[in-house]
Amino acid sequence: MDLDTSSIPELTAEELRQLYKLLIATRDLDVAAVAWQRQGILPGYAPELGQEAAQVGSAFALDTSRDFAFPTYREMGVALSLGVDMVEYMSTHKASWHGGLYNPVSTRLAPIQAVVGGSVLHAVGWAHGQRLAAGAGSAEAGLPAAITYFGDGASSQGDVHEAMNFAGVLKAPVVFFVQNNGWAISLPTEEQVAGGTVAARAAGYGMASVTVDGNDAPAVVRATRAALEHARAGNGPVLIEAMTYRRGPHSTSDDPGRYRTLDEERRDGGEDPVARLAALLLETGAADQPFIDDAAAEAKAHTDTVREGIQALQPRPGQEMFDFVFAEPTNALKAQAHAWREESEHV
């Protein structure tokens, strides 16, 4: 079933301006983070160049008073749009902490998930739990909804199929947000997604789906708002496939030149999402050039502040690796913690 988005109103001029500020801030920080890795400030980073509209647009649609987002390792734009402290977010990429130092409960962003497809399972479990906790008649009042992110490559993982099946059967209020960026690391989408599109799979799980231009930020906002409304009303999950393009490497350890040429990147990359929204603002009169220039300056200032914060991060106490495994530590874990203290702290 194709999701109907026609009832969702167009974004206001103020919303478009807010969206652009988030978009340019994401672009500036993302480009800088790649440079920081090359400079040795970050051990590793997963760039999102070209995918900013998909990430910012989807996060922009969330209601952080009740919804919850479940990211992978590439959703920096989602985190920034939700107001997460970027130094605390980047602590994982700095290898100072695993999953981010930010508070998931207050930010409504689950910890960064490095397991491919792992966040999808968590989102379905959380969404089903919200439905159970709300009880009968909860859909009329509007259920809290989860949104979970993954790529076209991750869509082939068994965990994703199991999660979508459970969500469909249980009518869990969850939005599966697929960023189809054309590549599963080095493998093009057409060589690993049977059936042509990820969205086509939704019908097999009894859920609605919508395919959206992932480089069109306002369109992504409207599609996500429609999906969230559908899920909150108790109609079950929705799969959104945002068609975009990964303009850079899969990660800073990847060399895309080994599997595609620069000419192919220029041909397939599509319209730049940041420039596209800037053009829309100017054409519609929602903003003028000074606004565009000021947003770029604000983005750069924010990036500089984040860099200072990242460089000031210190290693976390080693004991924490044992403190946050189980609510009630097992005897084996206690023994490991004791051995570690003897060897490293000479206790």
Side-chain angles (χ1 to χ4, degrees):
M1 177 181 67
D2 292 334
L3 184 70
D4 182 12
T5 63
S6 61
S7 64
I8 305 300
E10 298 289 343
L11 274 66
T12 65
E14 177 58 28
E15 287 178 319
L16 289 173
R17 289 191 291 270
Q18 293 175 8
L19 195 61
Y20 183 77
K21 282 190 171 186
L22 293 170
L23 214 62
I24 190 64
T26 298
R27 167 64 63 84
D28 196 272
L29 183 56
D30 180 67
V31 171
V34 175
W36 297 341
Q37 191 277 330
R38 305 309 191 208
Q39 296 163 11
I41 297 172
L42 298 177
Y45 180 70
E48 60 186 71
L49 186 67
Q51 297 179 223
E52 298 92 349
Q55 294 201 6
V56 172
S58 58
F60 193 83
L62 296 176
D63 178 355
T64 53
S65 71
R66 55 178 170 172
D67 299 332
F68 217 103
F70 293 79
T72 70
Y73 45 80
R74 200 186 301 277
E75 271 68 60
M76 185 272 287
V78 174
L80 188 149
S81 300
L82 293 179
V84 175
D85 183 285
M86 286 291 100
V87 175
E88 294 179 350
Y89 176 87
M90 288 287 186
S91 62
T92 290
H93 298 292
K94 178 68 183 288
S96 294
W97 188 248
H98 181 73
L101 283 167
Y102 59 88
N103 184 334
V105 176
S106 61
T107 61
R108 311 303 286 176
L109 182 74
I112 297 169
Q113 174 63 261
V115 176
V116 177
S119 58
V120 181
L121 295 166
H122 299 165
V124 173
W126 182 88
H128 181 52
Q130 297 303 303
R131 188 181 182 101
L132 292 176
S138 56
E140 286 73 15
L143 290 162
I147 186 168
T148 178
Y149 294 87
F150 55 104
D152 50 296
S155 73
S156 299
Q157 293 286 328
D159 282 355
V160 173
H161 292 281
E162 292 171 8
M164 289 197 290
N165 186 59
F166 269 99
V169 170
L170 300 170
K171 289 193 176 299
V174 58
V175 175
F176 298 94
F177 193 91
V178 183
Q179 294 174 82
N180 188 337
N181 64 20
W183 295 91
I185 306 183
S186 60
L187 193 65
T189 304
E190 60 267 20
E191 294 184 21
Q192 62 90 27
V193 174
T197 68
V198 181
R201 297 174 176 169
Y205 300 107
M207 70 176 74
S209 68
V210 59
T211 300
V212 65
D213 183 345
N215 293 337
D216 184 345
V220 174
V221 175
R222 294 180 67 245
T224 309
R225 282 175 173 170
L228 289 167
E229 282 190 7
H230 180 95
R232 291 189 191 116
N235 296 319
V238 180
L239 190 153
I240 299 176
E241 185 172 17
M243 307 303 293
T244 181
Y245 191 80
R246 193 194 77 215
R247 291 170 176 259
H250 172 75
S251 69
T252 47
S253 61
D254 173 40
D255 176 12
R258 297 176 60 189
Y259 50 84
R260 69 188 191 197
T261 67
L262 287 175
D263 286 339
E264 289 172 333
E265 290 182 7
R266 296 188 186 101
R267 181 196 69 202
D268 300 334
E271 191 173 358
D272 179 271
V274 179
R276 182 172 179 171
L277 184 55
L280 177 66
L281 288 170
L282 296 173
E283 289 169 7
T284 60
D288 54 17
Q289 191 59 49
F291 172 85
I292 301 294
D293 296 339
D294 289 345
E298 288 177 15
K300 186 180 185 307
H302 174 254
T303 296
D304 290 343
T305 300
V306 174
R307 174 175 176 150
E308 293 173 1
I310 290 172
Q311 290 181 299
L313 282 172
Q314 298 297 318
R316 302 291 297 180
Q319 178 62 36
E320 287 184 344
M321 77 176 86
F322 304 102
D323 292 343
F324 302 112
V325 180
F326 298 113
E328 297 181 7
T330 63
N331 290 332
L333 187 65
K334 291 177 181 177
Q336 292 171 5
H338 180 72
W340 180 85
R341 285 195 297 272
E342 284 186 331
E343 294 176 6
S344 60
E345 298 180 348
H346 307 292
V347 176

